[in-house]
Amino acid sequence: MPRSISIPDRFCRKVAQTLVAHDMVQPGDAVLVAVSGGPDSMALVRVLTHVAPEFELRIGLAHLNHGLRGPDADHDQAFVQQFADGHGLPCVSEIRDVKRLARETGNSLEEAGRNARYDFFSRTAADHGYTRIATGHTRDDNAEQVLMALVRGSGSKGLSGIPAKRGPMIIRPLIDRSRQEIIDFLAALNQAYITDDSNQDPVFLRNRIRSHLIPLLEKHYNPNIRQGLHRLSRILGEETCFLEDHTCRAFDRCVEKKGPDAVFLSIPGLVALHPALIPRVIRHGILHVKTNLRRITHDHMTAIQDLAADSAPGKHLDLPDRIRVYKTRGRLCIRKETLPLRQLGRMHKQSTRIPPKA
Ligand SMILES: Nc1ncnc2c1ncn2[C@@H]1O[C@H](COP(=O)(O)OP(=O)(O)OP(=O)(O)O)[C@@H](O)[C@H]1O
């Protein structure tokens, strides 16, 4: 009979398999573990320190105090620091005023918090010589993400959920593990963690999905819905990758001229593409002049395609972040303007504004 393997050992083995399967680390890597103090990131740091000798990794911790929950946030920061000290691990923490960042950028608190975190992680990694940044996202987080994308009506990219890796640095070693496995692992180690009451607040869509929609789907439709959603996201992730590849090639064929602030796409070239590729190539064009696609909605994309198909000359569209789209000599031009569009609007007669999404 095989010797029974303990819960912590089994858990660590499974995470080690994820590290290998997704090629997440190389011997000699220095891994900065993003630790909020919650169950997932505490499990992450415990498992990574356990497998560090086998994978030849150096481990350190990073904690961001969002300055949002008053004394609770200070307590979380102290908890993470004490854990690091107790385990002889280096820890970098920082306090950011996320409320102010949200006000200044017009982003939601959630988005401002996320931006502040990833900015802090990358700076810390660069300053301290870390080669990877590990976050504690789990399979359950991914299932919630997919459902959020579904209820918001996102496309296949949104439905691809949380990737196991992002760019050359960010890794998510717990992405194939469930929340229950994590709780069992922590209980077996007698490891304390912080519970964040805001995770229950129904104001946030994610919390309503976690505590209402998923249990409902599990009870009445599919007891394995989380695994199903996770699988769906992985399939769509692969297919999205494949389509992205085609998009890049189609984009190169359609581009007639490009500079740092503008790209000109051949309209006959666009029209000849498979309909699934047209919005993708246009998005690629927007990304050429704008670093991200935030605030570019489905309505914007439809309006751009309508503009390309419209035979009337002289029209243009104003998109967020000073992006102007117009037609010129059989080409669709996507341009990042230097002047505010309001000022430019007075210089053009026909402008179509797309109302921001409610
Ligand atoms: N304040 C923070 N400082 C450092 N890392 C963080 C912080 N907040 C979140 N993270 C990282 O991002 C991951 C996902 O964030 P999320 O908001 O889902 O986590 P959480 O619910 O606060 O805590 P956990 O995932 O640790 O249970 C965390 O697992 C952790 O790796």
Side-chain angles (χ1 to χ4, degrees), residues 34-42 44 62-66 117 121 134-137 141 196 199:
V35 182
S36 66
D40 305 338
S41 51
M42 290 310 291
L44 177 66
H63 175 83
L64 186 74
N65 180 337
H66 297 97
R117 280 200 297 279
F121 301 151
T135 67
H137 293 93
D141 290 324
D196 176 355
N199 283 343

mmCIF file with all atom_site columns, all heavy atoms in Angstrom, residues 34-42 44 62-66 117 121 134-137 141 196 199, ligand 1:
data_model
loop_
_atom_site.group_PDB
_atom_site.id
_atom_site.type_symbol
_atom_site.label_atom_id
_atom_site.label_alt_id
_atom_site.label_comp_id
_atom_site.label_asym_id
_atom_site.label_entity_id
_atom_site.label_seq_id
_atom_site.pdbx_PDB_ins_code
_atom_site.Cartn_x
_atom_site.Cartn_y
_atom_site.Cartn_z
_atom_site.occupancy
_atom_site.B_iso_or_equiv
_atom_site.pdbx_formal_charge
_atom_site.auth_seq_id
_atom_site.auth_comp_id
_atom_site.auth_asym_id
_atom_site.auth_atom_id
_atom_site.pdbx_PDB_model_num
ATOM   1   N N   . ALA A 1 34  ? 3.420   38.551 -3.723  1.00 0.00 ? 34  ALA A N   1
ATOM   2   C CA  . ALA A 1 34  ? 2.498   39.632 -3.348  1.00 0.00 ? 34  ALA A CA  1
ATOM   3   C C   . ALA A 1 34  ? 1.585   39.105 -2.243  1.00 0.00 ? 34  ALA A C   1
ATOM   4   O O   . ALA A 1 34  ? 0.766   38.218 -2.487  1.00 0.00 ? 34  ALA A O   1
ATOM   5   C CB  . ALA A 1 34  ? 1.675   40.042 -4.564  1.00 0.00 ? 34  ALA A CB  1
ATOM   6   N N   . VAL A 1 35  ? 1.747   39.632 -1.043  1.00 0.00 ? 35  VAL A N   1
ATOM   7   C CA  . VAL A 1 35  ? 1.009   39.087 0.099   1.00 0.00 ? 35  VAL A CA  1
ATOM   8   C C   . VAL A 1 35  ? 0.094   40.148 0.703   1.00 0.00 ? 35  VAL A C   1
ATOM   9   O O   . VAL A 1 35  ? 0.561   41.157 1.237   1.00 0.00 ? 35  VAL A O   1
ATOM   10  C CB  . VAL A 1 35  ? 1.984   38.541 1.174   1.00 0.00 ? 35  VAL A CB  1
ATOM   11  C CG1 . VAL A 1 35  ? 1.202   37.934 2.333   1.00 0.00 ? 35  VAL A CG1 1
ATOM   12  C CG2 . VAL A 1 35  ? 2.924   37.503 0.580   1.00 0.00 ? 35  VAL A CG2 1
ATOM   13  N N   . SER A 1 36  ? -1.212  39.890 0.618   1.00 0.00 ? 36  SER A N   1
ATOM   14  C CA  . SER A 1 36  ? -2.177  40.801 1.257   1.00 0.00 ? 36  SER A CA  1
ATOM   15  C C   . SER A 1 36  ? -2.368  40.411 2.711   1.00 0.00 ? 36  SER A C   1
ATOM   16  O O   . SER A 1 36  ? -2.824  41.233 3.509   1.00 0.00 ? 36  SER A O   1
ATOM   17  C CB  . SER A 1 36  ? -3.519  40.727 0.515   1.00 0.00 ? 36  SER A CB  1
ATOM   18  O OG  . SER A 1 36  ? -4.086  39.440 0.682   1.00 0.00 ? 36  SER A OG  1
ATOM   19  N N   . GLY A 1 37  ? -2.061  39.149 3.018   1.00 0.00 ? 37  GLY A N   1
ATOM   20  C CA  . GLY A 1 37  ? -2.319  38.620 4.368   1.00 0.00 ? 37  GLY A CA  1
ATOM   21  C C   . GLY A 1 37  ? -3.554  37.734 4.368   1.00 0.00 ? 37  GLY A C   1
ATOM   22  O O   . GLY A 1 37  ? -3.838  37.049 5.349   1.00 0.00 ? 37  GLY A O   1
ATOM   23  N N   . GLY A 1 38  ? -4.311  37.737 3.241   1.00 0.00 ? 38  GLY A N   1
ATOM   24  C CA  . GLY A 1 38  ? -5.501  36.885 3.104   1.00 0.00 ? 38  GLY A CA  1
ATOM   25  C C   . GLY A 1 38  ? -5.085  35.424 2.902   1.00 0.00 ? 38  GLY A C   1
ATOM   26  O O   . GLY A 1 38  ? -3.898  35.124 2.750   1.00 0.00 ? 38  GLY A O   1
ATOM   27  N N   . PRO A 1 39  ? -6.067  34.514 2.897   1.00 0.00 ? 39  PRO A N   1
ATOM   28  C CA  . PRO A 1 39  ? -5.750  33.089 2.837   1.00 0.00 ? 39  PRO A CA  1
ATOM   29  C C   . PRO A 1 39  ? -4.936  32.692 1.592   1.00 0.00 ? 39  PRO A C   1
ATOM   30  O O   . PRO A 1 39  ? -3.979  31.907 1.697   1.00 0.00 ? 39  PRO A O   1
ATOM   31  C CB  . PRO A 1 39  ? -7.118  32.403 2.821   1.00 0.00 ? 39  PRO A CB  1
ATOM   32  C CG  . PRO A 1 39  ? -8.115  33.474 2.565   1.00 0.00 ? 39  PRO A CG  1
ATOM   33  C CD  . PRO A 1 39  ? -7.519  34.758 2.997   1.00 0.00 ? 39  PRO A CD  1
ATOM   34  N N   . ASP A 1 40  ? -5.318  33.228 0.433   1.00 0.00 ? 40  ASP A N   1
ATOM   35  C CA  . ASP A 1 40  ? -4.667  32.784 -0.800  1.00 0.00 ? 40  ASP A CA  1
ATOM   36  C C   . ASP A 1 40  ? -3.189  33.156 -0.818  1.00 0.00 ? 40  ASP A C   1
ATOM   37  O O   . ASP A 1 40  ? -2.322  32.324 -1.127  1.00 0.00 ? 40  ASP A O   1
ATOM   38  C CB  . ASP A 1 40  ? -5.368  33.389 -2.029  1.00 0.00 ? 40  ASP A CB  1
ATOM   39  C CG  . ASP A 1 40  ? -6.854  33.071 -2.035  1.00 0.00 ? 40  ASP A CG  1
ATOM   40  O OD1 . ASP A 1 40  ? -7.236  32.093 -1.368  1.00 0.00 ? 40  ASP A OD1 1
ATOM   41  O OD2 . ASP A 1 40  ? -7.622  33.803 -2.673  1.00 0.00 ? 40  ASP A OD2 1
ATOM   42  N N   . SER A 1 41  ? -2.904  34.411 -0.479  1.00 0.00 ? 41  SER A N   1
ATOM   43  C CA  . SER A 1 41  ? -1.493  34.807 -0.561  1.00 0.00 ? 41  SER A CA  1
ATOM   44  C C   . SER A 1 41  ? -0.671  34.228 0.588   1.00 0.00 ? 41  SER A C   1
ATOM   45  O O   . SER A 1 41  ? 0.532   34.003 0.438   1.00 0.00 ? 41  SER A O   1
ATOM   46  C CB  . SER A 1 41  ? -1.344  36.319 -0.674  1.00 0.00 ? 41  SER A CB  1
ATOM   47  O OG  . SER A 1 41  ? -2.066  36.997 0.301   1.00 0.00 ? 41  SER A OG  1
ATOM   48  N N   . MET A 1 42  ? -1.328  33.932 1.749   1.00 0.00 ? 42  MET A N   1
ATOM   49  C CA  . MET A 1 42  ? -0.571  33.264 2.821   1.00 0.00 ? 42  MET A CA  1
ATOM   50  C C   . MET A 1 42  ? -0.231  31.835 2.394   1.00 0.00 ? 42  MET A C   1
ATOM   51  O O   . MET A 1 42  ? 0.873   31.347 2.639   1.00 0.00 ? 42  MET A O   1
ATOM   52  C CB  . MET A 1 42  ? -1.379  33.258 4.131   1.00 0.00 ? 42  MET A CB  1
ATOM   53  C CG  . MET A 1 42  ? -1.530  34.626 4.770   1.00 0.00 ? 42  MET A CG  1
ATOM   54  S SD  . MET A 1 42  ? 0.006   35.549 4.951   1.00 0.00 ? 42  MET A SD  1
ATOM   55  C CE  . MET A 1 42  ? 0.853   34.592 6.183   1.00 0.00 ? 42  MET A CE  1
ATOM   56  N N   . LEU A 1 44  ? 0.129   30.912 -0.642  1.00 0.00 ? 44  LEU A N   1
ATOM   57  C CA  . LEU A 1 44  ? 1.123   31.046 -1.718  1.00 0.00 ? 44  LEU A CA  1
ATOM   58  C C   . LEU A 1 44  ? 2.535   31.163 -1.152  1.00 0.00 ? 44  LEU A C   1
ATOM   59  O O   . LEU A 1 44  ? 3.464   30.473 -1.602  1.00 0.00 ? 44  LEU A O   1
ATOM   60  C CB  . LEU A 1 44  ? 0.781   32.274 -2.568  1.00 0.00 ? 44  LEU A CB  1
ATOM   61  C CG  . LEU A 1 44  ? 1.746   32.602 -3.699  1.00 0.00 ? 44  LEU A CG  1
ATOM   62  C CD1 . LEU A 1 44  ? 1.715   31.493 -4.758  1.00 0.00 ? 44  LEU A CD1 1
ATOM   63  C CD2 . LEU A 1 44  ? 1.392   33.941 -4.351  1.00 0.00 ? 44  LEU A CD2 1
ATOM   64  N N   . ALA A 1 62  ? 6.039   41.260 -0.734  1.00 0.00 ? 62  ALA A N   1
ATOM   65  C CA  . ALA A 1 62  ? 5.665   42.665 -0.981  1.00 0.00 ? 62  ALA A CA  1
ATOM   66  C C   . ALA A 1 62  ? 4.239   42.858 -0.502  1.00 0.00 ? 62  ALA A C   1
ATOM   67  O O   . ALA A 1 62  ? 3.366   42.030 -0.772  1.00 0.00 ? 62  ALA A O   1
ATOM   68  C CB  . ALA A 1 62  ? 5.752   42.975 -2.469  1.00 0.00 ? 62  ALA A CB  1
ATOM   69  N N   . HIS A 1 63  ? 4.014   43.938 0.242   1.00 0.00 ? 63  HIS A N   1
ATOM   70  C CA  . HIS A 1 63  ? 2.653   44.226 0.724   1.00 0.00 ? 63  HIS A CA  1
ATOM   71  C C   . HIS A 1 63  ? 2.334   45.698 0.494   1.00 0.00 ? 63  HIS A C   1
ATOM   72  O O   . HIS A 1 63  ? 3.130   46.564 0.837   1.00 0.00 ? 63  HIS A O   1
ATOM   73  C CB  . HIS A 1 63  ? 2.530   43.907 2.214   1.00 0.00 ? 63  HIS A CB  1
ATOM   74  C CG  . HIS A 1 63  ? 1.187   44.297 2.771   1.00 0.00 ? 63  HIS A CG  1
ATOM   75  N ND1 . HIS A 1 63  ? 0.073   43.485 2.658   1.00 0.00 ? 63  HIS A ND1 1
ATOM   76  C CD2 . HIS A 1 63  ? 0.761   45.418 3.411   1.00 0.00 ? 63  HIS A CD2 1
ATOM   77  C CE1 . HIS A 1 63  ? -0.965  44.095 3.215   1.00 0.00 ? 63  HIS A CE1 1
ATOM   78  N NE2 . HIS A 1 63  ? -0.576  45.268 3.673   1.00 0.00 ? 63  HIS A NE2 1
ATOM   79  N N   . LEU A 1 64  ? 1.177   45.940 -0.086  1.00 0.00 ? 64  LEU A N   1
ATOM   80  C CA  . LEU A 1 64  ? 0.749   47.330 -0.268  1.00 0.00 ? 64  LEU A CA  1
ATOM   81  C C   . LEU A 1 64  ? -0.393  47.655 0.696   1.00 0.00 ? 64  LEU A C   1
ATOM   82  O O   . LEU A 1 64  ? -1.410  46.948 0.715   1.00 0.00 ? 64  LEU A O   1
ATOM   83  C CB  . LEU A 1 64  ? 0.293   47.592 -1.707  1.00 0.00 ? 64  LEU A CB  1
ATOM   84  C CG  . LEU A 1 64  ? -0.012  49.065 -1.968  1.00 0.00 ? 64  LEU A CG  1
ATOM   85  C CD1 . LEU A 1 64  ? 1.279   49.879 -2.060  1.00 0.00 ? 64  LEU A CD1 1
ATOM   86  C CD2 . LEU A 1 64  ? -0.813  49.264 -3.240  1.00 0.00 ? 64  LEU A CD2 1
ATOM   87  N N   . ASN A 1 65  ? -0.188  48.713 1.463   1.00 0.00 ? 65  ASN A N   1
ATOM   88  C CA  . ASN A 1 65  ? -1.254  49.221 2.334   1.00 0.00 ? 65  ASN A CA  1
ATOM   89  C C   . ASN A 1 65  ? -1.999  50.282 1.526   1.00 0.00 ? 65  ASN A C   1
ATOM   90  O O   . ASN A 1 65  ? -1.440  51.322 1.202   1.00 0.00 ? 65  ASN A O   1
ATOM   91  C CB  . ASN A 1 65  ? -0.596  49.819 3.588   1.00 0.00 ? 65  ASN A CB  1
ATOM   92  C CG  . ASN A 1 65  ? -1.612  50.388 4.562   1.00 0.00 ? 65  ASN A CG  1
ATOM   93  O OD1 . ASN A 1 65  ? -2.722  50.735 4.177   1.00 0.00 ? 65  ASN A OD1 1
ATOM   94  N ND2 . ASN A 1 65  ? -1.213  50.491 5.819   1.00 0.00 ? 65  ASN A ND2 1
ATOM   95  N N   . HIS A 1 66  ? -3.257  49.964 1.173   1.00 0.00 ? 66  HIS A N   1
ATOM   96  C CA  . HIS A 1 66  ? -4.028  50.868 0.311   1.00 0.00 ? 66  HIS A CA  1
ATOM   97  C C   . HIS A 1 66  ? -4.531  52.112 1.042   1.00 0.00 ? 66  HIS A C   1
ATOM   98  O O   . HIS A 1 66  ? -5.174  52.964 0.435   1.00 0.00 ? 66  HIS A O   1
ATOM   99  C CB  . HIS A 1 66  ? -5.249  50.143 -0.257  1.00 0.00 ? 66  HIS A CB  1
ATOM   100 C CG  . HIS A 1 66  ? -4.914  48.993 -1.144  1.00 0.00 ? 66  HIS A CG  1
ATOM   101 N ND1 . HIS A 1 66  ? -4.890  47.693 -0.711  1.00 0.00 ? 66  HIS A ND1 1
ATOM   102 C CD2 . HIS A 1 66  ? -4.571  48.937 -2.455  1.00 0.00 ? 66  HIS A CD2 1
ATOM   103 C CE1 . HIS A 1 66  ? -4.566  46.894 -1.706  1.00 0.00 ? 66  HIS A CE1 1
ATOM   104 N NE2 . HIS A 1 66  ? -4.355  47.621 -2.780  1.00 0.00 ? 66  HIS A NE2 1
ATOM   105 N N   . ARG A 1 117 ? -1.176  48.542 -6.975  1.00 0.00 ? 117 ARG A N   1
ATOM   106 C CA  . ARG A 1 117 ? -0.485  47.301 -6.572  1.00 0.00 ? 117 ARG A CA  1
ATOM   107 C C   . ARG A 1 117 ? 0.546   46.882 -7.614  1.00 0.00 ? 117 ARG A C   1
ATOM   108 O O   . ARG A 1 117 ? 1.706   46.658 -7.309  1.00 0.00 ? 117 ARG A O   1
ATOM   109 C CB  . ARG A 1 117 ? -1.494  46.157 -6.394  1.00 0.00 ? 117 ARG A CB  1
ATOM   110 C CG  . ARG A 1 117 ? -2.218  46.185 -5.076  1.00 0.00 ? 117 ARG A CG  1
ATOM   111 C CD  . ARG A 1 117 ? -2.803  44.839 -4.747  1.00 0.00 ? 117 ARG A CD  1
ATOM   112 N NE  . ARG A 1 117 ? -3.812  44.354 -5.672  1.00 0.00 ? 117 ARG A NE  1
ATOM   113 C CZ  . ARG A 1 117 ? -5.085  44.715 -5.666  1.00 0.00 ? 117 ARG A CZ  1
ATOM   114 N NH1 . ARG A 1 117 ? -5.513  45.590 -4.797  1.00 0.00 ? 117 ARG A NH1 1
ATOM   115 N NH2 . ARG A 1 117 ? -5.943  44.198 -6.532  1.00 0.00 ? 117 ARG A NH2 1
ATOM   116 N N   . PHE A 1 121 ? 4.493   46.508 -7.217  1.00 0.00 ? 121 PHE A N   1
ATOM   117 C CA  . PHE A 1 121 ? 5.204   45.228 -7.397  1.00 0.00 ? 121 PHE A CA  1
ATOM   118 C C   . PHE A 1 121 ? 6.341   45.389 -8.417  1.00 0.00 ? 121 PHE A C   1
ATOM   119 O O   . PHE A 1 121 ? 7.448   44.911 -8.196  1.00 0.00 ? 121 PHE A O   1
ATOM   120 C CB  . PHE A 1 121 ? 4.260   44.117 -7.884  1.00 0.00 ? 121 PHE A CB  1
ATOM   121 C CG  . PHE A 1 121 ? 3.104   43.813 -6.977  1.00 0.00 ? 121 PHE A CG  1
ATOM   122 C CD1 . PHE A 1 121 ? 1.895   43.334 -7.491  1.00 0.00 ? 121 PHE A CD1 1
ATOM   123 C CD2 . PHE A 1 121 ? 3.209   43.996 -5.601  1.00 0.00 ? 121 PHE A CD2 1
ATOM   124 C CE1 . PHE A 1 121 ? 0.820   43.049 -6.654  1.00 0.00 ? 121 PHE A CE1 1
ATOM   125 C CE2 . PHE A 1 121 ? 2.125   43.716 -4.747  1.00 0.00 ? 121 PHE A CE2 1
ATOM   126 C CZ  . PHE A 1 121 ? 0.932   43.245 -5.297  1.00 0.00 ? 121 PHE A CZ  1
ATOM   127 N N   . ALA A 1 134 ? 4.821   36.842 -7.929  1.00 0.00 ? 134 ALA A N   1
ATOM   128 C CA  . ALA A 1 134 ? 3.786   35.802 -7.797  1.00 0.00 ? 134 ALA A CA  1
ATOM   129 C C   . ALA A 1 134 ? 2.579   36.365 -7.064  1.00 0.00 ? 134 ALA A C   1
ATOM   130 O O   . ALA A 1 134 ? 2.716   37.008 -6.025  1.00 0.00 ? 134 ALA A O   1
ATOM   131 C CB  . ALA A 1 134 ? 4.347   34.607 -7.025  1.00 0.00 ? 134 ALA A CB  1
ATOM   132 N N   . THR A 1 135 ? 1.376   36.130 -7.621  1.00 0.00 ? 135 THR A N   1
ATOM   133 C CA  . THR A 1 135 ? 0.146   36.546 -6.931  1.00 0.00 ? 135 THR A CA  1
ATOM   134 C C   . THR A 1 135 ? -0.680  35.294 -6.600  1.00 0.00 ? 135 THR A C   1
ATOM   135 O O   . THR A 1 135 ? -0.525  34.248 -7.219  1.00 0.00 ? 135 THR A O   1
ATOM   136 C CB  . THR A 1 135 ? -0.701  37.520 -7.781  1.00 0.00 ? 135 THR A CB  1
ATOM   137 O OG1 . THR A 1 135 ? -1.202  36.812 -8.913  1.00 0.00 ? 135 THR A OG1 1
ATOM   138 C CG2 . THR A 1 135 ? 0.094   38.723 -8.228  1.00 0.00 ? 135 THR A CG2 1
ATOM   139 N N   . GLY A 1 136 ? -1.587  35.464 -5.623  1.00 0.00 ? 136 GLY A N   1
ATOM   140 C CA  . GLY A 1 136 ? -2.308  34.308 -5.083  1.00 0.00 ? 136 GLY A CA  1
ATOM   141 C C   . GLY A 1 136 ? -3.637  34.013 -5.745  1.00 0.00 ? 136 GLY A C   1
ATOM   142 O O   . GLY A 1 136 ? -4.509  33.446 -5.094  1.00 0.00 ? 136 GLY A O   1
ATOM   143 N N   . HIS A 1 137 ? -3.822  34.374 -7.018  1.00 0.00 ? 137 HIS A N   1
ATOM   144 C CA  . HIS A 1 137 ? -5.107  34.092 -7.673  1.00 0.00 ? 137 HIS A CA  1
ATOM   145 C C   . HIS A 1 137 ? -5.351  32.588 -7.768  1.00 0.00 ? 137 HIS A C   1
ATOM   146 O O   . HIS A 1 137 ? -4.431  31.831 -8.090  1.00 0.00 ? 137 HIS A O   1
ATOM   147 C CB  . HIS A 1 137 ? -5.135  34.707 -9.081  1.00 0.00 ? 137 HIS A CB  1
ATOM   148 C CG  . HIS A 1 137 ? -5.130  36.198 -9.057  1.00 0.00 ? 137 HIS A CG  1
ATOM   149 N ND1 . HIS A 1 137 ? -3.980  36.934 -9.128  1.00 0.00 ? 137 HIS A ND1 1
ATOM   150 C CD2 . HIS A 1 137 ? -6.149  37.084 -8.927  1.00 0.00 ? 137 HIS A CD2 1
ATOM   151 C CE1 . HIS A 1 137 ? -4.285  38.225 -9.057  1.00 0.00 ? 137 HIS A CE1 1
ATOM   152 N NE2 . HIS A 1 137 ? -5.585  38.335 -8.935  1.00 0.00 ? 137 HIS A NE2 1
ATOM   153 N N   . ASP A 1 141 ? -11.102 32.309 -8.033  1.00 0.00 ? 141 ASP A N   1
ATOM   154 C CA  . ASP A 1 141 ? -11.027 33.702 -8.524  1.00 0.00 ? 141 ASP A CA  1
ATOM   155 C C   . ASP A 1 141 ? -11.279 33.712 -10.028 1.00 0.00 ? 141 ASP A C   1
ATOM   156 O O   . ASP A 1 141 ? -11.959 34.596 -10.554 1.00 0.00 ? 141 ASP A O   1
ATOM   157 C CB  . ASP A 1 141 ? -9.636  34.305 -8.287  1.00 0.00 ? 141 ASP A CB  1
ATOM   158 C CG  . ASP A 1 141 ? -9.348  34.568 -6.827  1.00 0.00 ? 141 ASP A CG  1
ATOM   159 O OD1 . ASP A 1 141 ? -10.266 34.948 -6.100  1.00 0.00 ? 141 ASP A OD1 1
ATOM   160 O OD2 . ASP A 1 141 ? -8.188  34.373 -6.411  1.00 0.00 ? 141 ASP A OD2 1
ATOM   161 N N   . ASP A 1 196 ? -10.908 39.554 5.234   1.00 0.00 ? 196 ASP A N   1
ATOM   162 C CA  . ASP A 1 196 ? -11.248 40.933 4.868   1.00 0.00 ? 196 ASP A CA  1
ATOM   163 C C   . ASP A 1 196 ? -12.769 41.039 4.723   1.00 0.00 ? 196 ASP A C   1
ATOM   164 O O   . ASP A 1 196 ? -13.355 40.415 3.832   1.00 0.00 ? 196 ASP A O   1
ATOM   165 C CB  . ASP A 1 196 ? -10.524 41.233 3.532   1.00 0.00 ? 196 ASP A CB  1
ATOM   166 C CG  . ASP A 1 196 ? -10.859 42.608 2.990   1.00 0.00 ? 196 ASP A CG  1
ATOM   167 O OD1 . ASP A 1 196 ? -11.720 43.286 3.590   1.00 0.00 ? 196 ASP A OD1 1
ATOM   168 O OD2 . ASP A 1 196 ? -10.262 42.991 1.969   1.00 0.00 ? 196 ASP A OD2 1
ATOM   169 N N   . ASN A 1 199 ? -14.739 41.593 1.476   1.00 0.00 ? 199 ASN A N   1
ATOM   170 C CA  . ASN A 1 199 ? -14.995 40.495 0.539   1.00 0.00 ? 199 ASN A CA  1
ATOM   171 C C   . ASN A 1 199 ? -16.447 40.022 0.596   1.00 0.00 ? 199 ASN A C   1
ATOM   172 O O   . ASN A 1 199 ? -16.882 39.247 -0.252  1.00 0.00 ? 199 ASN A O   1
ATOM   173 C CB  . ASN A 1 199 ? -14.079 39.297 0.838   1.00 0.00 ? 199 ASN A CB  1
ATOM   174 C CG  . ASN A 1 199 ? -12.673 39.542 0.333   1.00 0.00 ? 199 ASN A CG  1
ATOM   175 O OD1 . ASN A 1 199 ? -12.450 40.433 -0.486  1.00 0.00 ? 199 ASN A OD1 1
ATOM   176 N ND2 . ASN A 1 199 ? -11.723 38.764 0.822   1.00 0.00 ? 199 ASN A ND2 1
HETATM 177 N N1  . LIG B 2 .   ? -2.520  44.721 -0.449  1.00 0.00 ? 1   LIG B N1  1
HETATM 178 C C1  . LIG B 2 .   ? -1.874  43.798 -1.131  1.00 0.00 ? 1   LIG B C1  1
HETATM 179 N N2  . LIG B 2 .   ? -0.528  43.685 -1.018  1.00 0.00 ? 1   LIG B N2  1
HETATM 180 C C2  . LIG B 2 .   ? 0.135   42.736 -1.700  1.00 0.00 ? 1   LIG B C2  1
HETATM 181 N N3  . LIG B 2 .   ? -0.459  41.870 -2.547  1.00 0.00 ? 1   LIG B N3  1
HETATM 182 C C3  . LIG B 2 .   ? -1.789  41.941 -2.695  1.00 0.00 ? 1   LIG B C3  1
HETATM 183 C C4  . LIG B 2 .   ? -2.574  42.899 -1.999  1.00 0.00 ? 1   LIG B C4  1
HETATM 184 N N4  . LIG B 2 .   ? -3.858  42.728 -2.345  1.00 0.00 ? 1   LIG B N4  1
HETATM 185 C C5  . LIG B 2 .   ? -3.888  41.712 -3.219  1.00 0.00 ? 1   LIG B C5  1
HETATM 186 N N5  . LIG B 2 .   ? -2.650  41.223 -3.441  1.00 0.00 ? 1   LIG B N5  1
HETATM 187 C C6  . LIG B 2 .   ? -2.250  40.125 -4.343  1.00 0.00 ? 1   LIG B C6  1
HETATM 188 O O1  . LIG B 2 .   ? -3.229  39.972 -5.355  1.00 0.00 ? 1   LIG B O1  1
HETATM 189 C C7  . LIG B 2 .   ? -3.862  38.700 -5.243  1.00 0.00 ? 1   LIG B C7  1
HETATM 190 C C8  . LIG B 2 .   ? -5.326  38.773 -5.593  1.00 0.00 ? 1   LIG B C8  1
HETATM 191 O O2  . LIG B 2 .   ? -5.942  39.843 -4.930  1.00 0.00 ? 1   LIG B O2  1
HETATM 192 P P1  . LIG B 2 .   ? -7.336  39.701 -4.216  1.00 0.00 ? 1   LIG B P1  1
HETATM 193 O O3  . LIG B 2 .   ? -7.858  41.065 -4.007  1.00 0.00 ? 1   LIG B O3  1
HETATM 194 O O4  . LIG B 2 .   ? -8.169  38.696 -4.913  1.00 0.00 ? 1   LIG B O4  1
HETATM 195 O O5  . LIG B 2 .   ? -6.801  39.087 -2.851  1.00 0.00 ? 1   LIG B O5  1
HETATM 196 P P2  . LIG B 2 .   ? -7.339  39.181 -1.363  1.00 0.00 ? 1   LIG B P2  1
HETATM 197 O O6  . LIG B 2 .   ? -8.749  38.702 -1.291  1.00 0.00 ? 1   LIG B O6  1
HETATM 198 O O7  . LIG B 2 .   ? -7.048  40.539 -0.787  1.00 0.00 ? 1   LIG B O7  1
HETATM 199 O O8  . LIG B 2 .   ? -6.369  38.187 -0.550  1.00 0.00 ? 1   LIG B O8  1
HETATM 200 P P3  . LIG B 2 .   ? -5.877  36.735 -0.862  1.00 0.00 ? 1   LIG B P3  1
HETATM 201 O O9  . LIG B 2 .   ? -5.971  36.519 -2.353  1.00 0.00 ? 1   LIG B O9  1
HETATM 202 O O10 . LIG B 2 .   ? -4.475  36.734 -0.365  1.00 0.00 ? 1   LIG B O10 1
HETATM 203 O O11 . LIG B 2 .   ? -6.763  35.785 -0.083  1.00 0.00 ? 1   LIG B O11 1
HETATM 204 C C9  . LIG B 2 .   ? -3.609  38.262 -3.816  1.00 0.00 ? 1   LIG B C9  1
HETATM 205 O O12 . LIG B 2 .   ? -3.653  36.862 -3.690  1.00 0.00 ? 1   LIG B O12 1
HETATM 206 C C10 . LIG B 2 .   ? -2.219  38.802 -3.582  1.00 0.00 ? 1   LIG B C10 1
HETATM 207 O O13 . LIG B 2 .   ? -1.238  37.985 -4.171  1.00 0.00 ? 1   LIG B O13 1
#
